[in-house]
Amino acid sequence: MNWRQSFIIIIASLSGLSLLPVPKVPYSMVALEQPSIKSQPQLQHIASSITVKILAGDFLGSGILIKNQGQVYTVVTNAHVLRAGKPPYQIQTNNGRLYSATPVEKLNVVSPHSTSLQKADLALLQFQSVDQRYPQAKLGSTSKLKKGNKVYAAGFPGDTQASRDKGFVIKSGRVSLVLSKALEGGYQIAYTNDIQKGMSGGPVLNHAGEVIAINGMHAEPLWGNPYIYQDGTEPALLEQKQMQQYSWGIPLENYLKLLFP
């Protein structure tokens, strides 16, 4: 065999190889590996659909649609939101409907786990909807939450001169601190989002539209010292001054696992 014949055989072999099908990675496999980042309009839609107003005659604050069983819906909010008014409570959903709401006593049960429900500034309400379906929040993990992560806080800021809300808002910001142990009330995540009175009980979402925390404390509180750890110890004075600059939320993941195992 001369060199021309050898060259022809090699070219033919390579041509044959080029005709073999190239294996493709299924699209679903690629999608699973990529973070599901939502656009601002998508986040607005998700947040508004799961955030409710809580009323007791006057406007009290915000809440999150966290679970439903058939026609019964469960809303999580701050305990201090309910303490701001007296029963009977009402829930107003994003379509304007009003429902009578009943506090759930499950939070009063002492938990045998390390995360005590009694120490958290959380409360549950339930209402029944016969002819209308509502979405429930999707919970995100806080285990990998880091300083600098972008977060979105939602709710109904109240008028400082009257007990009424000024409409639904969603505010962007970034995580400032993630404490290794919680402050009183279960507050553990600090962020730069401008939380105002009335947004207590509303959701804090990550970029995928998952709820990671519940709003509860705005920056520069006007009275008291909320910066005390649950074990009774206090951060250093310099740390407390830093903490005052941020809004604070309660990570929901661990608490709701205890409530709805």
Side-chain angles (χ1 to χ4, degrees):
M1 181 183 297
N2 59 34
W3 68 269
R4 286 190 179 86
Q5 290 174 320
S6 300
F7 181 76
I8 292 171
I9 292 172
I10 291 171
I11 294 299
S13 300
L14 291 174
S15 300
L17 287 173
S18 66
L19 297 176
L20 293 174
V22 178
K24 294 182 178 181
V25 179
Y27 175 78
S28 59
M29 289 176 64
V30 176
L32 287 174
E33 294 174 359
Q34 300 298 322
S36 178
I37 299 176
K38 305 295 183 184
S39 66
Q40 188 73 21
Q42 287 175 316
L43 288 165
Q44 175 94 15
H45 173 74
I46 292 169
S48 64
S49 67
I50 62 171
T51 308
V52 299
K53 298 177 191 176
I54 298 175
L55 310 112
D58 294 327
F59 169 68
L60 297 181
S62 307
I64 309 167
L65 287 163
I66 208 72
K67 187 178 178 63
N68 80 288
Q69 291 179 300
Q71 299 175 348
V72 178
Y73 289 82
T74 301
V75 171
V76 63
T77 187
N78 291 127
H80 77 256
V81 168
L82 297 192
R83 287 196 297 268
K86 295 181 179 179
Y89 298 106
Q90 286 184 305
I91 297 292
Q92 186 174 36
T93 51
N94 69 330
N95 59 2
R97 289 200 179 188
L98 283 170
Y99 298 91
S100 297
T102 305
V104 180
E105 297 299 325
K106 195 170 184 178
L107 277 173
N108 294 328
V109 177
V110 177
S111 169
H113 301 272
S114 58
T115 307
S116 173
L117 294 174
Q118 284 191 322
K119 292 182 179 180
D121 182 17
L122 297 175
L124 297 177
L125 291 168
Q126 286 185 334
F127 69 93
Q128 186 173 16
S129 174
V130 176
D131 59 349
Q132 184 71 45
R133 301 283 296 175
Y134 297 102
Q136 66 184 54
K138 182 178 179 182
L139 289 182
S141 174
T142 57
S143 61
K144 296 183 179 179
L145 198 63
K146 295 180 180 178
K147 181 178 179 179
N149 287 164
K150 198 160 187 180
V151 289
Y152 305 84
F156 298 92
D159 192 321
T160 56
Q161 302 300 319
S163 297
R164 63 176 182 268
D165 73 270
K166 296 187 291 186
F168 176 82
V169 300
I170 181 168
K171 299 187 176 186
S172 61
R174 294 189 181 275
V175 174
S176 306
L177 296 168
V178 180
L179 300 180
S180 57
K181 60 179 180 178
L183 298 170
E184 289 183 344
Y187 293 97
Q188 205 165 353
I189 300 173
Y191 37 95
T192 61
N193 310 58
D194 180 22
I195 301 305
Q196 301 173 27
K197 183 179 179 181
M199 293 177 71
S200 288
V204 181
L205 302 98
N206 61 18
H207 59 69
E210 300 167 331
V211 175
I212 56 170
I214 180 171
N215 292 317
M217 187 160 54
H218 56 70
E220 304 294 344
L222 299 177
W223 58 84
N225 178 22
Y227 308 111
I228 301 173
Y229 293 118
Q230 285 185 339
D231 61 10
T233 61
E234 294 187 26
L237 187 59
L238 188 62
E239 291 177 298
Q240 291 187 39
K241 288 183 178 180
Q242 183 186 22
M243 291 175 173
Q244 291 174 7
Q245 301 173 32
Y246 308 124
S247 301
W248 286 85
I250 303 169
L252 285 180
E253 185 181 15
N254 294 335
Y255 292 102
L256 293 180
K257 280 180 180 178
L258 296 178
L259 289 168
F260 309 113

